[in-house]
Amino acid sequence: ALTHRIAYLVGEKKIPPHNILAVTFTNKAAAEMRSRVAKLLGFTDPNAAPLTFLGTFHSIANKILRRESDRLGLNSNFLIYDSSDSQALIKKILKSLHVDDKSITPSGVAWAISSAKNELVGPEKYRSMASSRVQLIAADVYPIYQRELRKAKALDFDDLIMELVNLFKSNPDALDRYQTQFKYILVDEYQDTNNAQYQMIKLLSAKSHNICVVGDDWQSIYSWRGANYQNILNFESDYSDAKVIKLEQNYRSTQHILDAAHHVISKNISRSKKKLWTDRKSVV
């Protein structure tokens, strides 16, 4: 759906590609989108399609932050810590705080800090919210961890979106520039967005309200990593002039499987209303 829309905007409506922001969750999905768009536009090389801002949430945030790095007090060549880098730093901090990393693991603390960043919660606010032992330790580690990242001229993976949202909120001129540039915003798997990702997209689309998302709250399975399916349920209230197109035909399953799935999902109180159907014949 999104790749055909992008191809239509560029090929038929002659929209400049730099005015299009297309976001998904994984590098594999982004590469597949790019390849499909290139094919639809007649390019033999997927990388030839002029779509500078088609990528994952994190790659898009990274690209913008490097352009605006001076506002963060960083160089444009700042480092990005991956999970192993982050856990190594947290292990070092735990040792300096004389915390036994067998009872409180670096991975557990890293998860707590990551969860906080996905909710746009900084060190000071996190301390006031912490309750469990791991959270209380994480509250001690979090500010030190952030200071050490800055000393290393680095951001971690979760900082990318959190810092971008903070940048936009504190620099209206920067936000206005990207709002003006991204006249067409497209988001894949919208039901899997967390709060930071949701805020990023909401800020960027606030000027044009020209946003197209694809998703299904019935298929939201990533709450454990911060995804909030309410984001897609609230889409119509966030964008009051939104047009909803339900894709209810299923091409993979037979009707008795769809009926069984519907019987299960119908027990959910908070959900979108639809009824899947198929023209595939059941095999007895």
Side-chain angles (χ1 to χ4, degrees), residues 147-179:
R147 286 199 299 270
E148 291 300 315
L149 282 176
R150 285 310 178 101
K151 280 184 186 178
K153 300 185 181 344
L155 299 176
D156 69 15
F157 203 57
D158 298 302
D159 277 329
L160 293 173
I161 299 177
M162 183 176 183
E163 289 288 350
L164 182 62
V165 171
N166 290 338
L167 171 73
F168 284 157
K169 288 183 175 180
S170 58
N171 295 273
D173 60 318
L175 174 59
D176 182 71
R177 185 163 68 255
Y178 289 101
Q179 286 176 334

Side-chain angles (χ1 to χ4, degrees), residues 93 232 265 269:
I93 296 170
I232 194 167
I265 200 70
I269 297 173

Side-chain angles (χ1 to χ4, degrees), residues 79-92:
L79 302 174
I80 299 176
Y81 275 29
D82 62 18
S83 59
S84 60
D85 295 324
S86 295
Q87 288 185 39
L89 175 55
I90 288 170
K91 184 174 183 178
K92 181 180 176 182

Side-chain angles (χ1 to χ4, degrees), residues 11-24:
E12 298 294 326
K13 292 299 185 180
K14 309 303 179 187
I15 302 300
H18 75 273
N19 288 145
I20 298 172
L21 171 64
V23 191
T24 188

